Amino acid sequence: MFALLQTAYAWSTIGCYTPPAGTAVSLSQPFNAVDCVNACANRNAIYAAIQVSVCYCYNTTQNWVKQNDAECSQNCQDGFPCGGPFGRFTGYVIEQDTGVPPIVSASNTPTATPQITESTIGKGQSIDQWKIAAIAGGSIGALLILGVAFYLWRRNQKRSRNATLPRLLSSGRQVDGPLIPNLPRTPDMIYSVVHPYTSKRQDELDLAPMQVVAVRKVFKDGWAQGMNVTAGRSGVFPLACFLSEKDQIGVPARVDSL
């Protein structure tokens, strides 16, 4: 008979990034984050990057561009972060190989179970069966406690990640195309601030680069109403603050949003 010892890997998420194209891994769809990480580990890669249905492997994070973690708002089938729209990838680091290289052993006869005899334990000695049972039971109990603790920790980690990704339903005018030129509509209407803005009216929001903003209502004058998730405040703000440097158009005057 043949026995195959599999290899296991330890890994963890490192955040939301826009990486250059890496070594693509072909996986059956839909795949899990675990599938991508294990595939990269089997290729001796140190990092994996996942975006919905794309899996890349890397040996370095050089040239990876850090993005706001709230922009990686999608999960894979196994519930782990799976990147987001507009080239946002969730990064994973493969910390270490905790298994052993695959070993195939062959044997035509079953392995005999060692027998404990008087010659193996010595004359005049005996084995306390209750002590053996207590030690075995204690070991199993400790493993069960560790397993439950690990499960609760992973569940809390997942809830903490999801707590930073609000699911806000948009109200007011529905938008099919871009909110303004060169600003597409994201699935959850969540954006990262690129250009700062200082409020000039009581109902306006202060915005700072890299803050996360959820859009709830869009006005024709290029302004919107929503929540600064980072600061925990609601108000009105210019959509131009979300545009890239090359697409910047300046802050328009308020008309419909007043």
Side-chain angles (χ1 to χ4, degrees):
M1 59 182 296
F2 292 89
L4 179 62
L5 305 181
Q6 300 292 340
T7 301
Y9 298 92
W11 47 270
S12 60
T13 58
I14 55 176
C16 186
Y17 292 86
T18 300
T23 302
V25 177
S26 178
L27 298 170
S28 58
Q29 302 293 334
F31 67 82
N32 295 327
V34 174
D35 297 333
C36 176
V37 172
N38 284 337
C40 290
N42 289 331
R43 288 166 170 77
N44 296 320
I46 302 175
Y47 301 94
I50 308 173
Q51 184 201 31
V52 187
S53 60
V54 180
C55 175
Y56 286 147
C57 302
Y58 302 84
N59 285 320
T60 177
T61 57
Q62 186 177 4
N63 298 325
W64 286 28
V65 179
K66 184 69 176 75
Q67 303 294 344
N68 202 302
D69 288 342
E71 297 185 52
C72 290
S73 59
Q74 295 175 307
N75 289 335
C76 291
Q77 294 293 315
D78 53 7
F80 292 107
C82 212
F86 308 109
R88 300 310 192 245
F89 284 73
T90 298
Y92 289 83
V93 59
I94 304 166
E95 297 172 345
Q96 61 182 351
D97 186 349
T98 60
V100 295
I103 301 174
V104 178
S105 60
S107 175
N108 294 325
T109 59
T111 302
T113 302
Q115 300 295 319
I116 299 177
T117 65
E118 186 180 54
S119 62
T120 62
I121 63 175
K123 288 185 177 183
Q125 301 181 26
S126 63
I127 299 176
D128 191 334
Q129 300 295 333
W130 287 107
K131 288 183 179 179
I132 294 176
I135 293 173
S139 299
I140 295 174
L143 290 175
L144 288 175
I145 292 173
L146 288 174
V148 172
F150 178 75
Y151 168 77
L152 293 175
W153 176 79
R154 292 303 296 267
R155 187 177 66 174
N156 289 335
Q157 288 289 101
K158 183 177 178 181
R159 286 181 176 177
S160 298
R161 289 195 300 267
N162 292 337
T164 63
L165 306 176
R167 298 294 190 268
L168 301 175
L169 298 176
S170 59
S171 60
R173 186 171 68 92
Q174 295 297 315
V175 179
D176 296 327
L179 304 186
I180 58 175
N182 298 317
L183 184 63
R185 176 188 177 94
T186 64
D188 296 311
M189 299 290 281
I190 294 178
Y191 298 86
S192 288
V193 177
V194 177
H195 304 282
Y197 177 75
T198 302
S199 59
K200 297 177 176 58
R201 296 176 180 269
Q202 188 175 2
D203 62 341
E204 295 179 358
L205 283 178
D206 291 327
L207 301 178
M210 295 302 292
Q211 286 185 329
V212 178
V213 177
V215 176
R216 286 176 170 169
K217 184 177 181 180
V218 178
F219 300 98
K220 294 180 180 179
D221 57 6
W223 287 68
Q225 184 182 51
M227 174 184 290
N228 185 330
V229 179
T230 304
R233 298 186 59 188
S234 298
V236 181
F237 45 86
L239 292 170
C241 291
F242 306 142
L243 291 173
S244 63
E245 294 288 348
K246 66 183 183 65
D247 296 324
Q248 180 60 25
I249 59 175
V251 177
R254 292 183 62 182
V255 180
D256 300 315
S257 58
L258 289 175

